[in-house]
Amino acid sequence: MIDMRVDIGGVKLKNPVLVSSGTFGFGKEYSKFYDLNLLGGVAVKGITLKPRKGNKPPRIMETPAGILNSVGLENPGLDVFIEKELPFLKKYSVPIIANISGNTIEEYSLMAKELNDHVDLIELNVSCPNVKEGGIAFGTKSDSVYEVTKEVRKNCSIPIIVKLSPNVTDITEMALAAEEAGADCISLINTIMGMAIDIENRKPYFHNIVAGLSGPAVKPISLRMVWQVAQKVNIPVIGMGGISNWQDAIEFMMAGADAISIGTANFYNPLAPIEVLEGIEKYMVENGISNLSEIKINGGVK
Amino acid sequence: MIDMRVDIGGVKLKNPVLVSSGTFGFGKEYSKFYDLNLLGGVAVKGITLKPRKGNKPPRIMETPAGILNSVGLENPGLDVFIEKELPFLKKYSVPIIANISGNTIEEYSLMAKELNDHVDLIELNVSCPNVKEGGIAFGTKSDSVYEVTKEVRKNCSIPIIVKLSPNVTDITEMALAAEEAGADCISLINTIMGMAIDIENRKPYFHNIVAGLSGPAVKPISLRMVWQVAQKVNIPVIGMGGISNWQDAIEFMMAGADAISIGTANFYNPLAPIEVLEGIEKYMVENGISNLSEIKINGGVK
Amino acid sequence: MQRDICRILSNHKVTGNIYKMVIESRIISKKALPGQFIHIKPGDGYDPLLRRPISICDLDADNSQVTLLYRVCGKGTRLFTHTKTGDFLDVLGPLGNGFPIFHSKRVAIIGGGIGIAPLLYLSKELIEAEVYLGFRDETYMIEDFMKYSDNISIYTEDGSKGNKGYPIEALERNIRSYDVVYACGPKIMLRAVKNLCEENHIECYISMEERMGCGIGACLVCACESSSNEEYKKVCTDGPVFNSKEVNLDD
Amino acid sequence: MQRDICRILSNHKVTGNIYKMVIESRIISKKALPGQFIHIKPGDGYDPLLRRPISICDLDADNSQVTLLYRVCGKGTRLFTHTKTGDFLDVLGPLGNGFPIFHSKRVAIIGGGIGIAPLLYLSKELIEAEVYLGFRDETYMIEDFMKYSDNISIYTEDGSKGNKGYPIEALERNIRSYDVVYACGPKIMLRAVKNLCEENHIECYISMEERMGCGIGACLVCACESSSNEEYKKVCTDGPVFNSKEVNLDD
Ligand SMILES: Cc1cc2nc3c(=O)[nH]c(=O)nc-3n(C[C@H](O)[C@H](O)[C@H](O)COP(=O)(O)OP(=O)(O)OC[C@H]3O[C@@H](n4cnc5c(N)ncnc54)[C@H](O)[C@@H]3O)c2cc1C
Ligand SMILES: Cc1cc2nc3c(=O)[nH]c(=O)nc-3n(C[C@H](O)[C@H](O)[C@H](O)COP(=O)(O)OP(=O)(O)OC[C@H]3O[C@@H](n4cnc5c(N)ncnc54)[C@H](O)[C@@H]3O)c2cc1C
Ligand SMILES: Cc1cc2nc3c(=O)[nH]c(=O)nc-3n(C[C@H](O)[C@H](O)[C@H](O)COP(=O)(O)O)c2cc1C
Ligand SMILES: Cc1cc2nc3c(=O)[nH]c(=O)nc-3n(C[C@H](O)[C@H](O)[C@H](O)COP(=O)(O)O)c2cc1C
Ligand code: FES
Ligand code: FES
């Protein structure tokens, strides 16, 4: 018998395959393709305290083996999320991860407090490159990562995942700061700051100028960062960034990820999470691996 | 008449199309495909004071729209470079850029002093992710970028290009430090630290574990960094990172690059630099642009 | 809406860079409404990465056939041309809302260039529709439209085929004789049709285009400006068809 | 060495995942030596990104034809199978050093699996060569080798064709009757041949494989261990053919 369960701060995921915030809406759309209960967890679209209209179009650009997005955290705001969007996902038993962004530490704390009784885990987005205020500002300094995590920790009892930005010199600093502040888990990576120029019209393609790069193109970078972080922290790590198939997922798990998350791949292959899950299962059976952590290179010994 | 000349610290490049260090050997190989005098400049393989054997194979891995390399600065050392390799390039009138890496500031200075009478420009590689000592260590802290540039400045009279690492939180800090220390030009980006895992053999694919990512996959990131740096510095900027065709080159020039450099593209298209050059020329003629800097968005006004 | 691996029954050039592809899909051919689209993966590999939205141009439910009309304008559509009869295509669909159908009303359909693609199936459903089609020079699919409507006027910019000029000019002359106008084509044409209809208080439905990620409403990248400035509309699920009053076509 | 856009004259499956392609190239067919290779761009687009090195299997200078034999094992080689007669292939070549040719000596050629590819053209140049070929189960290109040598022994691991076992066993029995041995195939076979020849003080040339970037000596990524531990060899220009004494085949 193989055991695919993952424990994140006491919450048991039945398997290590999650779907990434902002690529999976609030669950409805992909529930038409498969039973969401098959997933290890669902990270919903990033939420802010107040509703956000999001950035002016265009919001997406295809790049070689990747995409740039500039959604800018369009979302209905905390209250509408809880009243209107959450009930659908609640019909499933799949763990729900609320991904939150704030302009101030107080906003993060307030949202966490509110969400505490409604969702299973909270993911602090301190790494969104697509909003002027907040977001990434928090994610590129270890002391602010520490502070926001610490404060949120005081305001909720459910496990906290801190989602790190790759746009830093040393990502392990941020991971350690989050761990020290009481985070139960680290997830990485968010999108990498990129840009495109519309040469016909001689201007940046996005109104916000910079946008977030994701997809297979970033996989070598995200894998490296997951490896670096997994070497350092003693809390679970959720790896993401360009994962498209089960081989990619196994690479991340060998690098030290306790769970993995599928984002952009949902767009070109709506069944990606299920195919990845089946692939990991098959890999474990064929290699006589009974426990996920055995997949880690030298069993994850640091 | 269109003017494609670029002035870098007094050295006139006849056009803005360069080829990147480490992808073009010492010039011999590609000279079989076209006349090297057509190029704006040639950056030769990175040189160190003493010969380096380079990293243990494997040294390359194809990734989605990119490659990871782990050459590890294999090179014959400063003296052999000057005696044996340089004479070939010297037969051409194309400006020669010596790309140097050191383990200490003294090594950088010594090499710069030596090279001063042999090459046209010096490019300080403070950003090689593939060597244990030196290299990138210098490139991720603004004060060490400042120091190494400052010292080298004292030891040579030819223009200094400082080549920045993208593996930093704020690349403009590094660029400003270099400018302040007396650099004549900034070139960016070097490769991005990435990784791959050999899942068959359950180990990192490269002996050095991390390797350098380059190619079209990184273009959105390099373009963003070139934009950020060009907004800040008042010295010329050489843009590179994933440029494969003239449209890419125009994007970089609109972003503020005074010149661009072709690296990985040489591998899959040995004629890329020439095609890019012709494309830029055609673009200028068709758009009635007589001077390169007119290509910059709002004429490069900051 | 679902994922379907469809066999390609035919795929060939119509004229210039315009191609016609017929694929086999029981579900899509049974379910699809005029104005809906499918999301197609171009080739394998990660470059290009995303699916491409293509309208349902026509269908034959009895034979499970879906007809697509596409214009080659980049990586993905170029890859479409490399596929041949017998190959398989990875498709999501049918997607989007489609055109509302009014049988008892007097309706006009106006299309420009490749924008005519979704209008063929629409004209089939609206037997009585009067159809205005505009092209740059080469015309295409005219015979097909003739199968479904006996009131078709053709315009080309250079007058090489049909009448010289733009279909909007003719629609303008007859605008009062319609209750509803359906439009698909270049933004500049849609803007003109929107204004024309709104000035004359005529109901108008237009099919919009935006770059897409998921194509099913999950990623919010296909936002288009709505007339109410509070929010954006999702072209993939709120559209692609909108009442002209819902959307803002200014640049 | 140069870039050539070559027309594909034929491209079809030989057996299993082994394909044979014939391309048209005046220069390559005139210049190429046995053991040299060409560097081929698989498809357009950036995924896959790099060229693929493929040996020259045979050539016909009079008709400007170059024959390639390839095994499908990944993205690039799979894309090769999608190309058809009349398509064009972006090629660099001929590249590498090739096998040294000794006409007056007694020579043996030993190949395993797809490693036989460069050995066909070699056996054509070395009329007198005795050829040992090993396969897992399916054999291929045997008739072609017969055109050039009348002394061929075939081995399959399962004995389904030819003799059961490995060609190295036969070579071992006859090793003293040769002055020079040429080898190409799996690393484990090359290691055995190298050891056998060096024990018996027989000259041995082996063709090596390493992942490549430029293919022409400019990027240093194709390094392989040399027997002198001071330096690495470049497979693309120092090789792909090496005197067994130059290289180190240990893992
Ligand atoms: C609802 C809808 C229905 C459509 N129906 C048709 C049709 O029936 N026939 C047809 O020829 N075209 C149709 N289009 C346009 C078609 O989707 C684009 O021409 C196509 O995606 C271009 O892809 P490419 O790879 O060739 O171009 P590229 O420029 O290489 O594409 C790059 C990226 O931009 C996107 N993109 C580029 N142009 C458009 C566009 N106009 N609209 C949306 N995304 C775009 C691509 O999907 C891709 O993600 C439709 C678009 C939409 C939104
Ligand atoms: C000098 C030389 C001659 C060769 N001649 C032939 C031949 O005649 N017929 C044939 O079938 N194969 C030959 N090979 C091997 C062939 O190059 C690889 O099988 C092919 O590159 C695999 O590409 P892929 O995209 O299918 O596999 P992938 O695994 O998708 O390739 C990924 C990357 O690894 C490289 N790679 C993978 N395997 C090898 C390998 N064994 N050697 C070098 N690079 C590799 C690819 O070039 C690519 O850059 C030769 C290799 C070399 C070095
Ligand atoms: C369209 C889009 C929207 C996203 N929105 C969010 C978000 O709201 N909050 C967040 O933390 N990450 C967001 N992300 C980042 C993803 O969750 C993920 O971290 C990133 O895309 C890398 O994974 P991938 O390459 O598998 O997509 C978004 C990504 C995309 C492509
Ligand atoms: C194989 C290889 C070797 C390289 N060696 C060097 C080097 O010696 N010194 C250096 O400064 N950059 C080196 N680089 C980085 C390139 O010069 C360039 O900065 C980088 O590849 C990004 O550009 P590209 O995407 O066009 O290749 C190397 C890159 C590659 C792929
Ligand atoms: S394309 Fe994803 S929401 Fe419309
Ligand atoms: S492949 Fe570039 S040096 Fe050999």
Side-chain angles (χ1 to χ4, degrees), chain A residues 64-286:
Chain A
I67 63 173
L68 282 166
N69 92 80
S70 181
V71 171
L73 290 180
E74 170 175 341
N75 81 92
L78 181 63
D79 300 343
V80 176
F81 164 68
I82 292 173
E83 288 153 32
K84 298 243 164 42
E85 302 292 353
L86 208 45
F88 173 82
L89 263 179
K90 288 258 190 195
K91 290 185 288 174
Y92 295 85
S93 61
V94 65
I96 302 168
I97 303 167
N99 178 276
I100 63 173
S101 293
N103 294 323
T104 62
I105 292 184
E106 293 60 41
E107 280 186 18
Y108 278 102
S109 303
L110 228 129
M111 295 173 76
K113 188 182 251 139
E114 266 294 312
L115 287 161
N116 194 65
D117 306 333
H118 298 286
V119 299
D120 302 286
L121 304 110
I122 284 185
E123 183 173 54
L124 301 185
N125 179 6
V126 291
S127 43
C128 180
N130 293 332
V131 291
K132 291 254 178 304
E133 358 45 19
I136 199 163
F138 288 102
T140 52
K141 291 188 205 56
S142 55
D143 47 7
S144 51
V145 168
Y146 178 87
E147 281 167 34
V148 67
T149 309
K150 187 100 186 159
E151 277 309 307
V152 170
R153 174 74 294 168
K154 292 191 198 136
N155 287 278
C156 68
S157 56
I158 58 177
I160 301 173
I161 302 164
V162 176
K163 184 166 183 179
L164 299 181
S165 167
N167 304 291
V168 296
T169 305
D170 180 1
I171 195 153
T172 64
E173 260 183 43
M174 310 299 150
L176 289 168
E179 179 178 32
E180 201 187 328
D184 299 281
C185 176
I186 302 292
S187 66
L188 71 166
I189 62 174
N190 207 318
T191 55
I192 303 177
M193 267 195 277
M195 181 180 178
I197 287 180
D198 172 352
I199 62 175
E200 247 95 274
N201 302 304
R202 306 194 70 245
K203 59 179 180 55
Y205 178 80
F206 295 102
H207 289 276
N208 206 25
I209 300 183
V210 299
L213 184 66
S214 64
V218 308
K219 202 200 85 183
I221 302 170
S222 51
L223 182 68
R224 182 260 301 179
M225 291 184 166
V226 165
W227 167 273
Q228 291 175 315
V229 168
Q231 303 286 310
K232 289 279 180 74
V233 300
N234 296 306
I235 49 179
V237 172
I238 299 169
M240 70 187 97
I243 297 176
S244 305
N245 53 43
W246 70 264
Q247 292 92 333
D248 295 339
I250 293 295
E251 271 193 272
F252 277 77
M253 299 177 90
M254 285 185 176
D258 298 274
I260 59 92
S261 190
I262 311 277
T264 303
N266 290 304
F267 303 166
Y268 47 92
N269 179 10
L271 298 175
I274 302 308
E275 292 173 3
V276 167
L277 179 60
E278 289 167 352
I280 296 172
E281 223 164 345
K282 192 154 166 293
Y283 174 85
M284 290 176 77
V285 171
E286 286 173 354

Side-chain angles (χ1 to χ4, degrees), chain C residues 91-149:
Chain C
V91 163
L92 303 185
L95 305 178
N97 57 356
F99 292 100
I101 303 295
F102 305 101
H103 284 297
S104 51
K105 296 186 175 179
R106 298 169 304 157
V107 300
I109 295 175
I110 177 166
I114 191 63
I116 69 170
L119 302 179
L120 179 61
Y121 179 25
L122 176 64
S123 66
K124 182 188 197 171
E125 296 294 293
L126 296 167
I127 318 103
E128 302 288 85
E130 301 186 359
V131 181
Y132 301 82
L133 303 177
F135 303 88
R136 180 168 296 99
D137 36 36
E138 284 301 318
T139 61
Y140 39 89
M141 302 297 284
I142 307 296
E143 313 65 33
D144 303 75
F145 274 93
M146 288 183 174
K147 282 187 305 184
Y148 303 136
S149 164

Side-chain angles (χ1 to χ4, degrees), chain A residues 195-204, chain B residues 2 4 16-17 219 223 226-227 230 237 239-262 272-273 275-289 291-298 300:
Chain A
M195 181 180 178
I197 287 180
D198 172 352
I199 62 175
E200 247 95 274
N201 302 304
R202 306 194 70 245
K203 59 179 180 55
Chain B
I2 66 171
M4 294 192 108
V17 179
K219 201 200 85 184
L223 183 68
V226 165
W227 167 273
V237 171
M240 70 187 97
I243 298 176
S244 303
N245 53 44
W246 70 265
Q247 292 91 336
D248 295 339
I250 293 295
E251 271 194 90
F252 277 77
M253 299 176 90
M254 284 186 176
D258 299 273
I260 59 93
S261 190
I262 311 277
E275 292 174 5
V276 167
L277 178 60
E278 290 166 350
I280 295 173
E281 224 163 343
K282 194 154 165 296
Y283 173 85
M284 290 176 77
V285 171
E286 288 174 354
N287 292 273
I289 296 172
N291 187 302
L292 284 177
S293 60
E294 293 169 39
I295 296 176
K296 295 180 184 180
I297 288 176
N298 47 52

Side-chain angles (χ1 to χ4, degrees), chain B residues 185-206:
Chain B
C185 176
I186 302 292
S187 66
L188 73 163
I189 63 174
N190 206 317
T191 55
I192 302 177
M193 266 195 279
M195 181 179 177
I197 286 179
D198 172 353
I199 62 174
E200 246 97 90
N201 303 304
R202 306 195 67 246
K203 59 179 181 56
Y205 179 79
F206 295 102

Side-chain angles (χ1 to χ4, degrees), chain D residues 18-59:
Chain D
I18 306 294
Y19 286 69
K20 183 179 179 176
M21 189 191 298
V22 181
I23 62 174
E24 186 174 56
S25 172
R26 231 192 82 268
I27 302 87
I28 297 172
S29 68
K30 296 258 177 312
K31 289 214 200 123
L33 309 169
Q36 285 190 303
F37 67 96
I38 61 177
H39 218 191
I40 309 175
K41 178 97 183 72
D44 347 324
Y46 297 135
D47 181 44
L49 187 69
L50 296 169
R51 292 171 178 271
R52 293 346 194 207
I54 299 292
S55 303
I56 287 153
C57 176
D58 199 358
L59 48 73

